[in-house]
Amino acid sequence: MDQTAPSNLPLVFDNDQCLFNTGLYTRRYETIYGLFEPNTKPDARQRWFLKGFFKESDPMLVSFEYLPCRVRFAEDPSELVFDYRLPIRSNIDHILGDEENLTRIPASLMGEGNSLLLRRAFEGAVVEAARRAAANYTLAVPQFYGGRIQLLLPLCLTGDKPELALTIQREDGFYAARTCLTLDMAYNNARLICRPETSWIKR
């Protein structure tokens, strides 16, 4: 039987071992798996301990009849692509009024005297981001949050370079935008699904 035939789950158990698919590859594009074994310490709080990370051809994995598949974050692949036909509805009060969100805003737009300028800059940046994503769908980067797929769009508030990432979530007939992330936060979130290749979010 084919040793590399995938199971339908990203986690499989065999002979008191647990194996999961990391979604990562070696330089020669062999899948990398994390192998766990039971924790036999009497006072152990965790059931499993990490044995190590192994590529699919490693002899450590020979006892597994099937190797686990990658995690599926979306059942419908269209969720991973920006649909330019849908409008974006932004929760401006939260995005521009929440204290945590405000710490992510460029300093030149901060302060009560700049509130109108900030709102106009934000609204214009959202329109521009949607148009850019419509022209190049790869600009919208998927992330997984709260059990659902969201998309990240680059926001250029004060210049031509992205300063924030707008998170949008598909609803019935529109995208809801509820928060903005720093570029570092956006990269870390997107990296859970795959390494972002679009230039605005790459490190």
Side-chain angles (χ1 to χ4, degrees), residues 22 46-47 55 62 69 76 106 122 135 137 144 149 172 176 182-183 203:
T22 66
Q46 296 178 334
R47 180 181 175 187
K55 60 185 179 180
V62 72
C69 68
D76 183 356
F122 173 79
Y137 70 91
F144 190 74
I149 288 291
D172 188 14
T182 66
L183 298 187
R203 286 182 175 173

Side-chain angles (χ1 to χ4, degrees), residues 39-50:
N39 195 336
T40 57
K41 293 182 178 180
D43 58 345
R45 294 184 179 179
Q46 296 178 334
R47 180 181 175 187
W48 303 93
F49 76 90
L50 178 64

